[in-house]
Amino acid sequence: MENINIHNDEIDFVQIAKTIWKGKRFVILFSSFFVFIGIITALISPIVYTSSSTFILSSSNDNQTSSLGGVASLVGINLGVSGNDNRIPATMYPTVVESVEFKRQLLNEYIDEDKTVKLNSFLIKHYNLNIEDFTTNNNKFFVSKGENDLFKILKNIILISVNEKDRFISISANMPTSEYALSTCISARNILQNIIIDSKIKSAKENLKFTQEQLDLKKIEFDEVQDKIAYFEDSNLNIINSKYRNELDKLRAEFQIINSVYTELSKQLEQSKLQVSQDTPVFSVVKEASMPVFRSSPKRAQTVLIFGVLGLLISIIYVIAKEHIVKLIREINS
């Protein structure tokens, strides 16, 4: 093989072309081998369908807050809407998707139209997981080896991206069938939104629950005092004296106090209900998930092309540098 001469830092492209031409047989064979590998890879690669959905925290929530504040003011309730902030940090969405709560809920969802196949059972069968690894434990924080394996698989199935500037959230699901991809994507989006909503209104719901409990207790007292007054009056229809009036005044005074507290708690209950509505995020679906017609991978033609180009480049580099490599090896061995 002739040497490739370099004069004045210029490469002799004619000599390079001659070298490649002389080694064309090797280049063709090697490239063909890589093309064959590419074909095999494309054929054995698992088929994946991708369904995606995009949603955004609706700005109409601000209008809802103003409307609720107006309604509340009519009944003497002040929501203090000026200090409310319903914005959700962009980092919250990926964090929720990585949570055990999200994954467990998603794995328990049906992925077929007939509601017969759950995601967890499908993945266990599809990936041939050992059912003995799924040990149970009363501790909700316990994660078995089998469940952990499913969590790792979910990382490749559910993907989420957040556009911090425009506040768009996109979630996608990669599954072996088009139907399963669609169902999984919709379930993942709904679970994600529900978890975020629950976390945002948790405080307001706890306050609502507490107020309701106090109102129920006060309602019992309210009814008891009313019954006492009615019974006392019925029992003393023909008796009019100072002792009777004193007892009746005491009961009525007690009733007035309980009635005032009961009325105030009723207002607080309505305020708590409005606060829950005010704090509840409202999501708008910008792009609904659809059943994909074409697979997202493998892209067989692209895979074969990449392998072919890679084989061509490697073979050309080898043909050009072969003599220099052999010479270098001989110098090292000598």
Side-chain angles (χ1 to χ4, degrees):
M1 183 179 296
E2 298 180 12
N3 292 328
I4 301 173
N5 298 319
I6 302 178
H7 301 289
N8 298 325
D9 296 331
E10 293 182 0
I11 300 176
D12 189 346
F13 290 103
V14 175
Q15 187 60 46
I16 291 176
K18 289 181 179 179
T19 303
I20 296 173
W21 180 254
K22 288 182 179 179
K24 62 182 182 296
R25 178 180 174 82
F26 174 79
V27 171
I28 293 173
L29 291 175
F30 194 83
S31 299
S32 299
F33 174 74
F34 261 67
V35 169
F36 176 75
I37 297 298
I39 293 173
I40 298 299
T41 302
L43 291 175
I44 65 175
S45 296
I47 295 176
V48 176
Y49 288 90
T50 302
S51 181
S52 62
S53 178
T54 302
F55 61 93
I56 188 173
L57 183 63
S58 177
S59 59
S60 63
N61 199 44
D62 297 332
N63 297 330
Q64 179 190 9
T65 298
S66 301
S67 300
L68 290 174
V71 173
S73 64
L74 294 176
V75 293
I77 296 175
N78 179 21
L79 286 178
V81 296
S82 59
N84 185 61
D85 185 3
N86 282 314
R87 288 179 296 178
I88 298 174
T91 55
M92 186 174 183
Y93 299 99
T95 301
V96 171
V97 171
E98 288 295 321
S99 68
V100 172
E101 179 185 6
F102 172 86
K103 293 175 181 177
R104 281 178 173 169
Q105 288 189 37
L106 182 59
L107 286 169
N108 202 42
E109 288 290 316
Y110 290 102
I111 57 176
D112 64 323
E113 188 176 355
D114 297 330
K115 305 295 182 182
T116 58
V117 181
K118 287 189 175 182
L119 180 59
N120 51 9
S121 59
F122 169 77
L123 294 179
I124 291 172
K125 183 178 180 180
H126 185 74
Y127 289 94
N128 197 25
L129 300 181
N130 188 358
I131 197 66
E132 295 180 357
D133 293 335
F134 292 85
T135 56
T136 57
N137 193 300
N138 293 329
N139 188 345
K140 67 177 182 179
F141 300 105
F142 174 77
V143 178
S144 65
K145 180 181 181 302
E147 192 175 33
N148 188 58
D149 291 338
L150 288 178
F151 290 169
K152 291 179 180 179
I153 294 172
L154 277 183
K155 287 186 177 181
N156 297 323
I157 292 178
I158 302 298
L159 302 176
I160 185 170
S161 63
V162 180
N163 185 326
E164 296 188 26
K165 180 181 178 182
D166 299 322
R167 301 176 69 184
F168 285 98
I169 303 94
S170 295
I171 189 166
S172 60
N174 301 315
M175 292 291 282
T177 71
S178 181
E179 178 188 3
Y180 292 175
L182 172 63
S183 299
T184 305
C185 179
I186 293 177
S187 296
R189 184 194 67 203
N190 293 338
I191 292 171
L192 172 62
Q193 292 178 351
N194 289 336
I195 291 177
I196 289 177
I197 289 173
D198 288 342
S199 66
K200 291 292 288 183
I201 65 174
K202 182 179 180 181
S203 177
K205 286 182 70 176
E206 289 178 351
N207 184 59
L208 173 61
K209 181 181 178 182
F210 174 78
T211 305
Q212 183 68 64
E213 290 174 350
Q214 295 303 309
L215 182 64
D216 292 341
L217 292 174
K218 195 57 62 176
K219 179 68 166 57
I220 296 174
E221 292 184 35
F222 181 87
D223 292 338
E224 287 178 350
V225 173
Q226 273 192 324
D227 292 340
K228 283 181 181 180
I229 293 174
Y231 178 77
F232 185 81
E233 290 179 335
D234 291 342
S235 301
N236 299 276
L237 290 175
N238 299 319
I239 301 176
I240 301 176
N241 53 38
S242 297
K243 183 179 180 181
Y244 166 78
R245 285 196 296 267
N246 287 339
E247 290 295 329
L248 184 59
D249 288 342
K250 287 180 182 179
L251 288 174
R252 286 176 175 173
E254 183 181 357
F255 174 78
Q256 288 297 329
I257 294 173
I258 294 176
N259 183 55
S260 298
V261 176
Y262 182 78
T263 302
E264 184 61 30
L265 284 173
S266 297
K267 289 183 179 180
Q268 290 182 16
L269 180 66
E270 294 306 315
Q271 181 175 347
S272 298
K273 290 178 179 179
L274 291 172
Q275 190 69 51
V276 170
S277 298
Q278 175 189 334
D279 292 348
T280 302
V282 179
F283 295 100
S284 296
V285 177
V286 179
K287 174 182 174 293
E288 183 57 272
S290 60
M291 189 175 293
V293 178
F294 303 102
R295 61 177 180 267
S296 56
S297 67
K299 297 180 180 179
R300 290 171 176 165
Q302 181 178 339
T303 301
V304 173
L305 179 61
I306 291 174
F307 270 85
V309 172
L310 183 63
L312 180 64
L313 292 176
I314 293 175
S315 60
I316 289 176
I317 292 172
Y318 175 78
V319 168
I320 294 174
K322 178 182 177 181
E323 182 174 329
H324 298 281
I325 294 173
V326 172
K327 183 178 179 181
L328 180 61
I329 293 175
R330 287 175 179 174
E331 290 179 355
I332 292 175
N333 293 332
S334 60

